[in-house]
Amino acid sequence: MATIIDGKAFANTLCEKLAQEIKQLQTEHSLTPCIAVVLVGEDPASQVYVRNKVKRCEELGIESREYRLSNATSQTELLELINDLNNDASVNGILVQLPVPEQIDDAAVINAISSAKDVDGFHIENVGALSIGENQLVPCTPLGSLMMLQDQLGDLSGMHAVVVGRSNIVGKPMANLLLQNNCTVTIAHSKTRNLDEVCRQADILVAAVGRPRFIQGDWVKPGATVIDVGINRIEEAGKSRLVGDVDFAAAEERAGAITPVPGGVGPMTIACLMHNTVRAAKQQHGLM
Ligand code: GUN
């Protein structure tokens, strides 16, 4: 049976350290890190994610300012808000929850955020920095996944990592981080041939496809470490529940270690957002 990687406990430990650091910033530098969280529209999952992010901020002593805009918001209106937040020195981080409604071009929005305040790490300058190994603000889900892998496995050098999914938010930055850590990296996706065989070669298998239980148990190499990034809401036996991109019950039989859903990657994503917000605040004040 696999070790279950406790993302919730790991995130709590990380957040306790951050809370200490924030206290110190307040007492020694009169600095309270501040994040602006922007939600456009009423997507139910996004509302839950934003609520969880704001709650964590409160626990840690990070100031959060929430901006809830209607589904009919124009791109111009959203860009005006971002411009105001860019120019507000008391705001250290800006997060626009994705997806945004279809009348808005998400790339235009992401790249309008000051790269120094881009705590999601999605701005093209932060993406470029990551790709040449000069990490600035790194996307939260891949960063949290990497921390769990390093905690579990120590040095990742020479391991074969297979990342299933090629999104800008998870798959591509995850692959870059693993490459920086001397893994041999394969990026697989919906057009990959013999996906099962490719997965079976992985010492590290990262599932980020957004399809419930897509990765089968017998695609997992015995002893492999499995990171399940998926958060899929399904109806089962008349009940709504969250499942990952991996068939957990079957994969657990073969994996050496595996993250559960919920309680794996999700809490680490939020903890890393807090980490990025503190980092952005310190950088803006010449403290690192
Ligand atoms: N939607 C799904 N994941 C994310 C994320 O990490 N950041 C933002 N801003 N939106 C998301």
Side-chain angles (χ1 to χ4, degrees), residues 219-230:
W219 298 10
V220 175
K221 174 173 157 178
T225 302
V226 180
I227 301 290
D228 190 349
V229 175

Side-chain angles (χ1 to χ4, degrees), residues 53 95-99 120 122 141 169 269:
K53 289 170 186 176
L95 179 146
V96 177
Q97 186 66 33
L98 301 175
D120 263 325
F122 297 164
T141 298
I169 293 183
T269 295

